Amino acid sequence: MVQTFRNAWKIPELRRKILFTLFIVLLYRLGNAVPVPYVDTNILATYFAQLKNTVLGLYNTMSGGAFSLATIFALSIQPYINASIIIQLLCIAIPALERLSKEGGEEGKKKIAAITRYSTVGIGFVQGYGYYLLMSRNGIIVSDAPAVWAAIVIVMTFTAGSALVMWLGEQITEFGIGNGISIILFASIVSRFPQGLGNLVSKAINHDLSWVATILMLIGALAMIVMIVIVNDAERRIPVQYAKRVMGRKMYGGQASYIPIKVNMTGVMPIIFASTLCSLPGLIFRFINLDASSHPALYAFFSVFNYNSALYLIVYVLLIVAFNYFYVAIQYNPVDIANQLRKNNGTIPGIRPGKPTSDFITKTLSKITLIGAVFLAIVAGFPIILGNITGTSIQLGGTTLLIVVGVALETGRSLEGYMTARYHKGFLE
């Protein structure tokens, strides 16, 4: 990876792309340090210290700490991610959008992208208003101005910030090294690593955490990084043989190929979905402030969803597995793959075309999906178990590592692709 960046830096065109990307990331980080008006950040920081392991804690991690400081980029890329997921699901549920995404070509992709942008602004407005209500009801907003004016300024600032973050990501994709939204997410998470490492070392120095536990956590993090790298590159290749065709005096086809099925084809999305659902009861519990004596049944129900409980871990893992299968199901359609193979005179050796091919792909996909789900469950569940053993909260440690390593590998492959195209430019022309 380091060698890839060194080689890329030697190429003037790639060096300009890297510098442009770093400049955009710098602008993003500067925006993360500018708080919105009328907010008492000290009260807000104290309040968020109690919400570390809720869905708001997840939002704060994804924003690089900007969410707990109520900065202009507090919503970060969450509205864009939510809009992308919603539009992707609607493309399956609504036939018009499905035709637009599959048959619309380049023009269809542009329309889908435009719909996603507008949806991002709408979701940003809703989330910004919700964040404003959260702060206003907890005495975090301090203003001599009328409440309506403060609400308009805060909500519109959050909305504009989410739209600007989306635009910054698109600039990286177009003029930088690509994968703009992923790069911004990467920068947000990595920015919190020094603080997290410093807190871990300070706990060991102050004897709040033993050095054995500290070293164990660091070794576990390194082992998890190695496992993530291996699994992210792992794939099952289904061999495909194309029949020979004679057209005029030329013969076409006859070559062998394969269908790649990645072990971790869903990325971190199942973990994010599962974390959000499992954290919601705890967040609701903090908002309604139930009394154990007055509402024993409800109190017991919400207490079950404490992230330190064994039941929470079981539900968390089961949701990850379920969401992994769901996300794979909407990405892969074995029937379409089988039809495309038949249309191009391709067959899987030993499998008849048509339904047998579709059934074989479905069976293979199910096995690979299970392996990927187990991998994600280990990545998400191991930090919770280790945190309970050591007494340190690292619930989202596996999630952040998965995102960071995945983006780093994806960026490295993107740079290698740029360099390969440059070195073989003469052959391509």
Side-chain angles (χ1 to χ4, degrees):
M1 181 67 70
V2 175
Q3 188 62 37
T4 299
F5 277 94
R6 284 181 179 176
N7 294 336
W9 186 259
K10 296 176 184 177
I11 302 174
E13 180 184 355
L14 279 182
R15 185 162 60 243
R16 286 194 295 270
K17 289 179 176 291
I18 293 173
L19 289 174
F20 179 81
T21 301
L22 293 176
F23 175 71
I24 296 295
V25 170
L26 176 62
L27 292 180
Y28 170 70
R29 292 303 303 163
L30 289 175
N32 277 353
V34 181
V36 299
Y38 311 128
V39 175
D40 191 326
T41 54
N42 294 325
I43 300 177
L44 184 62
T46 304
Y47 179 74
F48 261 91
Q50 306 170 358
L51 303 175
K52 192 186 313 182
N53 296 297
T54 65
V55 65
L56 297 184
L58 175 62
Y59 276 13
N60 191 43
T61 300
M62 297 300 178
S63 66
F67 193 75
S68 62
L69 299 175
T71 66
I72 59 175
F73 290 160
L75 300 183
S76 190
I77 61 169
Q78 290 300 325
Y80 179 82
I81 292 177
N82 293 336
S84 300
I85 294 171
I86 291 172
I87 297 302
Q88 187 175 8
L89 294 176
L90 289 179
C91 285
I92 299 173
I94 301 176
L97 286 177
E98 185 178 9
R99 287 193 301 269
L100 188 64
S101 62
K102 291 184 177 181
E103 303 171 6
E106 194 64 31
E107 191 64 26
K109 291 180 180 178
K110 290 181 180 179
K111 290 182 180 179
I112 293 294
I115 294 173
T116 304
R117 292 190 191 99
Y118 290 126
S119 302
T120 299
V121 175
I123 293 174
F125 177 81
V126 173
Q127 290 185 348
Y129 181 67
Y131 195 9
Y132 164 77
L133 290 179
L134 172 68
M135 292 187 293
S136 64
R137 290 176 180 177
N138 289 276
I140 298 172
I141 295 177
V142 180
S143 171
D144 296 331
V148 175
W149 174 251
I152 292 174
V153 170
I154 292 173
V155 174
M156 295 310 295
T157 302
F158 283 147
T159 305
S162 65
L164 183 55
V165 170
M166 176 185 63
W167 182 81
L168 291 175
E170 290 178 348
Q171 298 309 299
I172 294 177
T173 302
E174 186 172 356
F175 302 108
I177 59 177
N179 307 316
I181 299 299
S182 299
I183 293 293
I184 288 179
L185 181 59
F186 176 88
S188 298
I189 295 175
V190 169
S191 66
R192 293 176 61 85
F193 278 6
Q195 179 184 0
L197 185 60
N199 291 338
L200 188 64
V201 174
S202 64
K203 284 184 177 181
I205 294 175
N206 297 329
H207 303 290
D208 295 331
L209 185 68
S210 67
W211 282 104
V212 175
T214 304
I215 295 173
L216 181 64
M217 291 172 66
L218 293 176
I219 293 175
L222 292 175
M224 190 169 293
I225 290 174
V226 173
M227 182 178 68
I228 291 172
V229 171
I230 294 174
V231 175
N232 270 357
D233 290 336
E235 61 182 19
R236 167 74 160 90
R237 297 180 175 180
I238 301 177
V240 177
Q241 183 68 41
Y242 290 94
K244 295 180 180 179
R245 292 180 298 169
V246 178
M247 298 180 63
R249 296 183 178 182
K250 293 184 179 181
M251 181 177 294
Y252 297 92
Q255 73 272 24
S257 183
Y258 60 87
I259 302 172
I261 300 178
K262 294 185 69 66
V263 173
N264 181 28
M265 66 184 76
T266 59
V268 75
M269 296 311 300
I271 297 180
I272 293 178
F273 288 158
S275 298
T276 303
L277 285 182
C278 287
S279 300
L280 279 177
L283 184 63
I284 295 172
F285 178 69
R286 292 185 181 276
F287 282 163
I288 60 180
N289 292 324
L290 279 177
D291 184 19
S293 57
S294 303
H295 304 86
L298 284 176
Y299 187 86
F301 170 77
F302 283 112
S303 298
V304 165
F305 288 92
N306 186 336
Y307 74 97
N308 288 320
S309 67
L311 184 59
Y312 175 92
L313 180 61
I314 294 172
V315 173
Y316 188 35
V317 169
L318 291 177
L319 284 176
I320 289 174
V321 174
F323 278 124
N324 192 61
Y325 271 96
F326 170 75
Y327 213 74
V328 170
I330 66 176
Q331 284 183 315
Y332 267 86
N333 189 338
V335 176
D336 285 348
I337 297 175
N339 290 337
Q340 288 295 328
L341 287 177
R342 173 182 280 183
K343 188 183 298 183
N344 294 292
N345 293 323
T347 58
I348 299 174
I351 307 295
R352 288 184 292 121
K355 191 175 184 304
T357 298
S358 174
D359 292 342
F360 176 79
I361 295 175
T362 301
K363 185 178 179 181
T364 304
L365 194 61
S366 178
K367 294 178 180 178
I368 298 301
T369 303
L370 178 60
I371 296 174
V374 171
F375 160 71
L376 292 178
I378 293 173
V379 169
F382 178 72
I384 298 178
I385 297 173
L386 187 61
N388 289 337
I389 294 174
T390 59
T392 303
S393 176
I394 49 175
Q395 181 193 16
L396 300 175
T399 307
T400 54
L401 282 180
L402 184 61
I403 294 173
V404 168
V405 175
V407 173
L409 292 175
E410 187 179 0
T411 304
R413 284 192 288 266
S414 177
L415 291 175
E416 288 176 355
Y418 279 121
M419 289 186 289
T420 302
R422 182 180 185 274
Y423 291 144
H424 294 80
K425 188 176 181 180
F427 295 101
L428 295 174
E429 292 179 346

